Amino acid sequence: MNIEDIISIDGKKLPVRVVLSLMELEADLKGASYWGTYLLYHAFDTNDKALREEVGQRLSAMGQPRYEGRDQKENQKSLKGLSGNNLTQGEIHFRLKLAIYELMELKDKEGKYLFEYQNHWIAIFWKVVELHIGIFEYQYDEFKNLIESLDLTDLRVKFVKTSINDCTHNGYRGFSSQWVCKSTSSRGQNAFARMKLIDEEFGKLLEKNGLAYS
């Protein structure tokens, strides 16, 4: 991340460090997410993962959603950094939808569905956060709105907001690389291993559908 990179915002050219400062100054206002959105677009355009993570963490800490005040044309702006392609928001959502459908049909070695329980949506939630497509840590309402917008029909395990309540405990806090199995029982350990496997397989499906991490 180069904080001296220049961003053009409504005809004005500002360094990344200045925009980060503006986010902090307007932490209690809608403006924080406004500046954050421009930084995220810049991060996608320059394939700057470090900046994406920094902005995501700051907005999450502020309790700020992504800014939605830009017009429809701007909201459909192509994003870079996903499998090297330029994808619009609509294309990203379509591919995400396909990956979720495919995940629901996967079976384990015993012929049982891999994705069986409501809390398995935790794995999907954190993978979506990891994609950096506008959903940040613990933004449960925003994730609910995203899933509803995908118009997923006939799912075996439908999503409800309480599906991801365990994101803050039971070892599933943060990206899957940070998960820690806290259970000492074989049942709990098996459940943890199943969640890790779902996370791994969903990651493969996202990559298959052109949503690999940059």
Side-chain angles (χ1 to χ4, degrees), residues 64-100:
Q64 290 281 341
R66 185 173 175 175
Y67 177 63
E68 299 294 346
R70 307 173 81 177
D71 61 29
Q72 186 175 3
K73 183 177 180 180
E74 279 296 312
N75 283 332
Q76 294 297 321
K77 180 179 179 180
S78 295
L79 303 180
K80 296 182 179 179
L82 303 173
S83 296
N85 298 324
N86 297 329
L87 302 176
T88 65
Q89 185 182 73
E91 290 170 332
I92 291 171
H93 288 182
F94 177 72
R95 295 175 189 226
L96 176 60
K97 181 176 181 177
L98 290 179
I100 293 174

Side-chain angles (χ1 to χ4, degrees), residues 108-122:
D108 60 20
K109 295 179 180 179
E110 298 177 354
K112 297 180 179 179
Y113 284 112
L114 188 62
F115 198 108
E116 292 185 291
Y117 305 111
Q118 288 275 308
N119 76 329
H120 285 163
W121 277 94
I122 291 173

Side-chain angles (χ1 to χ4, degrees), residues 88-101 104 121 124-125 128 131 133 135 142-155 159 202 206 211:
T88 65
Q89 185 182 73
E91 290 170 332
I92 291 171
H93 288 182
F94 177 72
R95 295 175 189 226
L96 176 60
K97 181 176 181 177
L98 290 179
I100 293 174
Y101 272 128
M104 292 287 176
W121 277 94
I124 294 179
F125 172 78
V128 170
L131 280 176
I133 58 174
I135 304 296
E142 288 77 2
F143 180 73
K144 175 178 177 289
N145 292 337
L146 169 63
I147 296 302
E148 290 178 350
S149 73
L150 296 181
D151 193 25
L152 296 163
T153 58
D154 300 323
L155 284 181
F159 172 80
F202 189 51
L206 289 172
L211 294 178

